[in-house]
Amino acid sequence: TSPDFQAILVKEAQFSRMQFESAQWRRLQLQAAGCRLLGYSGIQISGLKSKSHIKIASRRIAEAFEEFTTFREWKMAYEDYLARADMAPYPFRFYMFNNLFSEAHYSDEAKKNNTRLSDCGKLEKTKYNFSKMILDKLDNYPNAQSLLKQVLTGCSSCDMTQLKKTHYVCMDACPKMLSNGPCGGSKPGGECELDSTTCVHLLRMRRANWLNETHIIEDEYIEPASNRK
């Protein structure tokens, strides 16, 4: 959350509870109407804990659909309400296309933002090559295999079938236990938001990119650790 948006929430929290809730409902109206005008066919709303809140949300959103019928008038109201504050500041935001917020539907000439995946380093390549070359050959020597797995992948629990699917990166090392991540909370440099180590999903993506095997990440479902026990 950007400092500007945090300031808005702090200011709203100083009002009465009724005024604070009214401000949140208004923001929901603007976001829902905006998604519709931007071309989305549906939205997901969470945090509604009672039937009465669901009814209020449904009514407020319906009212917003009637209030905002053009992208231009909605955009003006949205920016005025947020005092033109970004929801997430640079560099913690990334948009696939430039100038998406300039009109309701981007044109055929929309330019894609270019971002470069960090290179797979020499040590990573060496670990991968050595893992692929030797680990499979140690099935008859479980103690040695376990030790080398720990050294090369940081893991002693994943079996070889699992590790081969993940380019010899242990997905169980993810603090959030996400086997098919990433979660989206990693920092701009690729560090995990919880322990500042390099995100394991970034490590796997770098190896896959180096090997021209990024398609495997989409094709292969990795069984979560909780399901393997």
Side-chain angles (χ1 to χ4, degrees), residues 2-15 20 23-24 27 79-87:
S2 71
D4 288 341
F5 187 57
Q6 288 180 18
I8 292 174
L9 294 176
V10 169
K11 183 178 180 180
E12 291 173 350
Q14 296 174 357
F15 302 149
F20 180 78
Q24 310 317 308
R27 190 159 20 254
E79 291 182 336
D80 286 341
Y81 192 77
L82 285 179
R84 290 174 172 76
D86 284 324
M87 298 290 281

Side-chain angles (χ1 to χ4, degrees), residues 127-146:
K127 283 185 175 182
Y128 173 84
N129 287 328
F130 196 66
S131 298
K132 185 176 182 181
M133 177 179 67
I134 198 169
L135 285 180
D136 280 347
K137 299 178 181 179
L138 295 177
D139 286 340
N140 295 327
Y141 305 92
N143 291 335
Q145 187 183 65
S146 179

Side-chain angles (χ1 to χ4, degrees), residues 124 189-192 195-203 206:
E124 287 183 61
E191 300 89 0
C192 174
D195 59 13
S196 296
T197 60
T198 301
C199 173
V200 296
H201 301 286
L202 174 62
L203 290 174
R206 283 204 296 237

Side-chain angles (χ1 to χ4, degrees), residues 31-71:
Q31 291 172 340
C35 286
R36 187 187 195 192
L37 291 168
L38 284 167
Y40 290 92
S41 60
I43 58 175
Q44 178 177 325
I45 301 174
S46 59
L48 301 178
K49 299 180 180 180
S50 66
K51 290 182 179 180
S52 62
H53 279 174
I54 295 175
K55 290 181 180 179
I56 293 173
S58 299
R59 186 182 75 250
R60 293 291 184 97
I61 291 173
E63 292 171 353
F65 287 168
E66 294 180 2
E67 179 181 358
F68 301 107
T69 57
T70 68
F71 178 80

Side-chain angles (χ1 to χ4, degrees), residues 37 68 70-80 84 101-103:
L37 291 168
F68 301 107
T70 68
F71 178 80
R72 182 178 296 275
E73 63 180 2
W74 167 79
K75 181 184 176 183
M76 291 178 61
Y78 183 83
E79 291 182 336
D80 286 341
R84 290 174 172 76
F101 206 52
S102 61
E103 54 184 325

Side-chain angles (χ1 to χ4, degrees), residues 117-132:
L117 185 68
S118 56
D119 292 329
C120 187
K122 291 183 178 180
L123 180 59
E124 287 183 61
K125 293 178 181 179
T126 300
K127 283 185 175 182
Y128 173 84
N129 287 328
F130 196 66
S131 298
K132 185 176 182 181

